[in-house]
Amino acid sequence: MSLGVKLAPYAASDEASRGRQYREPSPSYRSEFQRDRDRIVHCAAFRRLEYKTQVFVNHEGDLFRTRLTHSIEVAQIGRSVARAMNLNEDLTEAISLAHDLGHTPFGHSGQDALNACMREYGGFEHNLQSLRVVDLLEEKYADFPGLNLTFETREGILKHCSPKNAAELGELGRRFIERKQPSLEAQVANVADEIAYNNHDVDDGLRSGLITMEQLSAIELFGEQHAQVCKSHPGISERVQVHEIVRRMINRLVVDLIDNSALLLRESAAMSVDDVRSAASPLIANSEAVRNQSLELKQFLREQLYAHYRVRRMTLKAHKVIESLFGAFMDDARLLPPQYQKKVGEAQGAAQPSVRARIVADYIAGMTDRYAIQEHQRLFDPGALT
Ligand code: MG
C-alpha cells in the first residue's frame, strides 16, 4: 500500500518487493515492511535482546546499553537517514531492529566462543543466526515457520556471509557471490549500526570509568565537539557535557552521511534498485574526512575499551561459560531442556554430531547473559541443586 510518502526511484517499495517465502495476502493499513517490523517487535528473540550485551555484561549496571537499546538506537539513526533521503523508512527500521537477533550471550566474546565450539560443525556466524531466527527458530505462526519476512528485510539482516554459506542460501546469498550491493535501506542500517555503537560505547565507556575524557579529547571527532561544548557551555556538569558531545558526534556523522550519500547517488546516476545493486561500492557512505575520524575513534575504542583488562576478564569468563555449556550438551543431549531434546530426537540425521551441534548452538545462542550464567551454575556448581 502507498504510505503517502514519495519514495526515491532507487528506494525499496512494496510493489517491487520480491515477496515472502510463504505467500500471504497483503496487510490492510500497513506496508509489507511495516508488517515485517511489527513481527520482529513481537518475537521472543527481540525481547531477549534486553538481557544481552555487547561490551559490558548485563549485570554490570542498569545504565549500560543492552542489545535492545542498541537496536532501538540503530533504528532511530537509520530512520532519520532513510526519511531524509526519501528511502523506505519502514524497511530500514525492520532491518535495524532485527540485525542483532542472532547474537549470542556475552556480546562478541560469546560469538567467538560459540564459533570456536562449532568449528568442526559448520561454524557459527551471528548474521546467519539472525536469519535463522527469523526464518526458522521463532515458532509463533500457524501457517509457516519463522516470521515469514520479505526478501528485502531478510537480505538486509544478512550483512556478511562467507561464500560457502552464501552458496547454500540460494537467491538470498547470490549477491555475495556476484559481489553486488544490497538495497540502500540495508546500507543505511549497516552504517547506522556503526554510528550507534561507536557513540554509545563512548558514553558507556566513560560511565564505567574504563576510558576518560582526557584520553578521548585527543581523538579528533570527540575533541572537536568537546572544544565546542566547553566554549558554548562552560561550567556544566560532566554528565551533561558527555551527552552534549555524544549528540553532536552523532549529528556530525548523520548529517555528513546524508550529504555525502546524496552526492554519491547523484554521481552514480542510479535510477532504480537494480542500479544500486550493480554499483561498484556502497552508495551510502560518509565522506572520506569523516570516515577517517570515525575510524580513529573506532580504533581508540578497540585498544582502550574492548581490550581493557576488566573487559578481557569478562571475555575470558564468557568463553569458559559457553565452552562448558557446549561441551556438556554435546556429551549428553539429555541435559538439554525437553523441547531441545525433542528437536534432537526429531532431527533428520540426528546421529550426526553436526546436526546435534547446530541444535545445541541454537539453544546457547538464544540464551541471555544471565540465563547462560544460571545454566552454567545449574550444571557445574555442586551447591546449586535445582
Ligand atoms: Mg549491531
Side-chain angles (χ1 to χ4, degrees):
M1 73 175 265
S2 161
L3 294 173
V5 178
K6 181 127 181 54
L7 292 174
Y10 37 70
S13 64
D14 276 20
E15 296 73 32
S17 171
R18 293 204 223 168
R20 303 172 189 275
Q21 283 178 299
Y22 300 85
R23 281 183 79 98
E24 291 185 66
S26 294
S28 319
Y29 306 114
R30 285 183 298 174
S31 72
E32 295 288 349
F33 303 121
Q34 272 181 294
R35 172 148 78 180
D36 281 0
R37 187 264 328 268
D38 297 346
R39 285 184 180 175
I40 291 158
V41 168
H42 288 278
C43 83
F46 185 70
R47 288 193 294 279
R48 285 201 293 257
L49 293 176
E50 184 176 0
Y51 300 103
K52 293 191 180 200
T53 46
Q54 220 149 291
V55 179
F56 299 92
V57 170
N58 191 252
H59 63 263
E60 289 187 59
D62 289 345
L63 292 175
F64 295 122
R65 264 66 173 191
T66 65
R67 286 209 181 262
L68 182 64
T69 58
H70 163 68
S71 302
I72 293 170
E73 289 179 34
V74 175
Q76 179 274 311
I77 293 170
R79 286 178 53 193
S80 296
V81 175
R83 190 184 295 193
M85 300 187 67
N86 294 325
L87 299 177
N88 198 310
E89 190 178 331
D90 298 327
L91 174 58
T92 307
E93 185 180 18
I95 296 169
S96 302
L97 292 177
H99 84 284
D100 269 353
L101 288 177
H103 253 293
T104 60
F106 314 126
H108 300 294
S109 49
Q111 131 93 25
D112 293 345
L114 195 53
N115 189 26
C117 294
M118 288 292 289
R119 190 158 293 140
E120 289 167 46
Y121 312 114
F124 179 89
E125 263 181 50
H126 64 87
N127 265 290
L128 212 52
Q129 190 69 10
S130 296
L131 192 65
R132 222 173 131 72
V133 167
V134 300
D135 279 357
L136 211 62
L137 299 179
E138 283 288 327
E139 293 169 345
K140 307 177 83 72
Y141 294 87
D143 293 328
F144 43 78
L147 307 179
N148 197 31
L149 303 181
T150 59
F151 179 91
E152 290 74 15
T153 300
R154 296 170 61 235
E155 182 198 43
I157 291 173
L158 196 64
K159 194 160 69 177
H160 312 287
C161 187
S162 64
K164 185 182 156 284
N165 287 329
E168 286 168 18
L169 285 170
E171 207 36 35
L172 202 67
R174 190 192 285 215
R175 78 173 173 91
F176 295 97
I177 296 161
E178 294 178 352
R179 295 179 181 277
K180 288 200 166 176
Q181 309 301 328
S183 69
L184 292 172
E185 288 78 3
Q187 296 181 31
V188 168
N190 194 3
V191 184
D193 183 20
E194 206 171 310
I195 295 177
Y197 69 66
N198 279 335
N199 284 283
H200 64 51
D201 287 354
V202 164
D203 190 35
D204 282 352
L206 285 167
R207 184 179 286 108
S208 69
L210 301 189
I211 52 175
T212 64
M213 290 278 261
E214 211 184 340
Q215 282 176 308
L216 274 161
S217 302
I219 305 301
E220 201 174 283
L221 184 63
F222 188 97
E224 276 178 12
Q225 323 304 323
H226 183 228
Q228 227 184 66
V229 171
C230 286
K231 204 171 148 204
S232 59
H233 297 88
I236 48 173
S237 73
E238 188 170 313
R239 203 73 295 270
V240 175
Q241 201 181 37
V242 171
H243 183 72
E244 286 292 341
I245 296 168
V246 170
R247 83 179 180 99
R248 280 172 173 75
M249 288 202 296
I250 296 177
N251 194 57
R252 170 136 176 75
L253 293 162
V254 168
V255 169
D256 175 81
L257 182 66
I258 295 168
D259 290 344
N260 191 63
S261 304
L263 189 74
L264 293 176
L265 276 157
R266 266 200 308 276
E267 282 172 4
S268 78
M271 283 307 290
S272 67
V273 176
D274 282 341
D275 291 346
V276 167
R277 290 182 184 284
S278 309
S281 52
L283 297 170
I284 301 293
N286 277 114
S287 66
E288 202 184 331
V290 170
R291 197 160 54 238
N292 287 338
Q293 285 191 333
S294 184
L295 282 173
E296 187 199 11
L297 175 65
K298 210 170 159 171
Q299 194 177 344
F300 168 84
L301 289 170
R302 198 162 40 230
E303 287 166 5
Q304 303 300 325
L305 182 62
Y306 311 146
H308 193 282
Y309 81 96
R310 273 171 56 198
V311 174
R312 291 188 82 89
R313 205 158 61 186
M314 204 54 235
T315 304
L316 173 77
K317 282 189 235 180
H319 261 266
K320 291 214 182 303
V321 168
I322 299 232
E323 265 168 35
S324 10
L325 290 179
F326 187 85
F329 296 133
M330 282 303 280
D331 286 347
D332 187 355
R334 290 169 303 180
L335 291 171
L336 288 165
Q339 70 271 33
Y340 283 91
Q341 284 193 40
K342 192 162 166 265
K343 283 187 186 201
V344 172
E346 289 169 359
Q348 265 193 340
Q352 289 172 29
S354 63
V355 173
R356 186 197 291 183
R358 186 59 58 193
I359 294 168
V360 170
D362 286 341
Y363 178 43
I364 294 177
M367 292 178 183
T368 60
D369 295 2
R370 61 181 188 180
Y371 184 90
I373 293 168
Q374 282 164 5
E375 187 74 337
H376 187 264
Q377 279 168 349
R378 283 192 289 262
L379 278 165
F380 300 106
D381 177 2
L385 294 175
T386 52

